[in-house]
Amino acid sequence: MTQPRSHIASMAAYALARTEVPDGKPLVSLSQNESLRGPSPKAVDAASKAASAAALYPDPDWSGLRQALAAHHRIDAGAILCGNGSLDLIGCLARVYASPARAVLAPAHAYPFFKTASQMADARFDTAPERDARVDVNALLSAVRPDTGLVFVANPGNPTGTRIPKADLIALREGLRGDILLVIDEAYGEFADHLHERCFDMVADGNTVILRTFSKAYGLAGFRVGWGYFPAAIAAELRKVMNPNNLSGAAQAAAIAAIADQAYMAETCRLTAKHRDRAVDLLQGAGFKTLPSFTNFILIDLHTSKAVQSVDAALRAEGIVLRPQGGAGLPQMLRMTVGPEKAMRAAIDILTAWKKEAQF
Ligand SMILES: Cc1ncc(COP(=O)(O)O)c(C=O)c1O
């Protein structure tokens, strides 16, 4: 029988959230950090209009989308590349810049796809300890080895929810060798934009990339639109490994309309923060420990992996799925996406009842 390449044979596929629930129970997912509400109606309208052009290949240069992003963020349209979700861009970056001779480094509780992308490139994946689920720049710099070629950090982090001040990112960049690519993944950036300084200017050094997505605050996870801000030389290499028609016309049209409707996105962020902070109050009131979050999810510290399994089972029995975090090296933590109010209330009621009965 034909054999796959050995590094592919030995790796596991990326584990998405498990969504099995008992027969007859409607699935309520608070597991994938999707938006608590649908996209802007203007994005839906633009996508449905674009669907009539589906016989044609989409714009391979994402021209309208790049212009819209550049105008909104006051950045250079020519330095933007779009991906089929930011997952696509993370995979392409690893394909170009990681290899058996160029290892990848990330914080201990980083977004697990960074590891998967490294494995796909047959690169060693190193981690550096975090402090209280916060990225520790000094620990990352101490973990750099002679063959380190690529460093991934997410800001804010997933699943930690914590954020890295820009001054720390600058210190990280300044402490890294010039031949190491630094990728700053800002998938949750819109939820924290009011709190921290923009980092797009860091790309000017030629060795730093910023990634963003429409999957979170813009509520377009199903359309798969990610994008990044790249030094020209890196963008040119990435183009070689990208699917040349990676984003459907409907997805591009939806994203352009979503950017134009900033009021809708800002309201999504406002509602998310309101429901998140209310949920944190309720959870803490019920005796749960939560981590500070600058995102659309809450990380609940249940102290043991057995407690996570127990509460996960109690929630699943009612059709509610949260996300245990063993995959990110936090087996004692359960992550709850800030979803629709009714779903959040149902989940918190079960968690509270569990806490009263639990032996943990
Ligand atoms: C930190 C981080 N980066 C990237 C992604 C992938 O996002 P996309 O839907 O754009 O592929 C996620 C999704 O949860 C994420 O949490």
Side-chain angles (χ1 to χ4, degrees):
M1 201 180 95
T2 309
Q3 293 300 313
R5 295 174 65 191
S6 59
H7 69 281
I8 302 292
S10 62
M11 69 179 274
Y14 183 65
L16 291 168
R18 279 180 45 232
T19 50
E20 317 79 78
V21 292
D23 281 351
K25 292 275 178 196
L27 169 68
V28 177
S29 171
L30 297 175
S31 63
Q32 299 209 90
N33 299 343
E34 294 148 330
S35 173
L36 84 180
R37 64 179 184 156
S40 158
K42 292 177 183 160
V44 176
D45 194 38
S48 59
K49 287 197 177 107
S52 62
L56 306 176
Y57 284 105
D59 176 359
D61 291 320
W62 329 281
S63 316
L65 180 51
R66 291 213 274 189
Q67 290 301 337
L69 284 165
H72 174 62
H73 289 286
R74 299 185 305 284
I75 55 177
D76 172 16
I80 295 171
L81 295 181
C82 300
N84 195 253
S86 43
L87 282 181
D88 184 23
L89 296 171
I90 294 166
C92 290
L93 283 162
R95 215 175 299 157
V96 177
Y97 291 97
S99 74
R102 293 176 60 138
V104 178
L105 172 64
H109 309 305
Y111 179 49
F113 191 74
F114 298 153
K115 181 175 180 181
T116 304
S118 312
Q119 290 173 325
M120 291 193 277
D122 198 11
R124 198 182 68 243
F125 182 74
D126 298 330
T127 57
E130 299 192 30
R131 247 183 306 118
D132 300 328
R134 283 186 176 79
V135 170
D136 179 343
V137 165
N138 291 329
L140 270 172
L141 290 173
S142 303
V144 170
R145 290 163 56 171
D147 66 349
T148 303
L150 177 52
V151 175
F152 280 113
V153 291
N155 192 33
N158 173 22
T160 57
T162 53
R163 73 189 184 95
I164 316 169
K166 184 174 183 186
D168 286 6
L169 288 171
I170 291 172
L172 174 61
R173 180 64 270 179
E174 284 173 354
L176 291 174
R177 296 191 315 267
D179 63 324
I180 297 177
L181 175 63
L182 172 63
V183 178
I184 304 172
D185 177 349
E186 297 186 340
Y188 301 90
E190 285 80 6
F191 296 111
D193 271 344
H194 59 294
L195 293 170
H196 73 176
E197 293 169 275
R198 296 147 37 91
C199 290
F200 293 115
D201 59 327
M202 289 181 68
V203 168
D205 78 350
N207 299 310
T208 304
V209 166
I210 309 286
L211 300 180
R212 287 215 169 196
T213 182
F214 284 81
S215 295
K216 308 300 174 183
Y218 286 102
L220 284 171
F223 267 133
R224 314 301 304 122
V225 188
W227 64 282
Y229 201 48
F230 295 86
I234 293 176
E237 296 307 320
L238 230 64
R239 276 283 201 165
K240 298 178 189 170
V241 303
M242 289 177 90
N243 171 343
N245 276 128
N246 63 352
L247 262 193
S248 75
Q252 294 187 44
I256 292 168
I259 296 196
D261 197 351
Q262 283 299 305
Y264 189 90
M265 191 275 281
E267 177 64 4
T268 300
C269 292
R270 192 191 68 77
L271 285 172
T272 302
K274 182 176 142 196
H275 292 313
R276 179 191 67 213
D277 296 347
R278 169 100 184 108
V280 165
D281 284 350
L282 290 171
L283 287 165
Q284 290 183 349
F288 289 99
K289 183 177 167 207
T290 60
L291 272 73
S293 170
F294 297 93
T295 60
N296 67 340
F297 57 84
I298 302 164
L299 197 56
I300 307 169
D301 186 351
L302 293 162
H303 306 298
T304 67
S305 58
K306 268 182 92 173
V308 169
Q309 282 163 23
S310 165
V311 78
D312 185 50
L315 287 158
R316 249 171 231 276
E318 297 306 321
I320 302 175
V321 177
L322 273 57
R323 188 87 188 261
Q325 289 302 322
L330 293 167
Q332 76 283 23
M333 305 265 190
L334 189 61
R335 191 190 69 197
M336 176 194 273
T337 299
V338 178
E341 213 174 343
K342 196 169 151 215
M344 296 283 283
R345 204 174 320 119
I348 292 170
D349 283 351
I350 294 169
L351 280 154
T352 306
W354 174 89
K355 183 86 180 164
K356 283 192 188 133
E357 311 233 314
Q359 305 297 313
F360 296 94

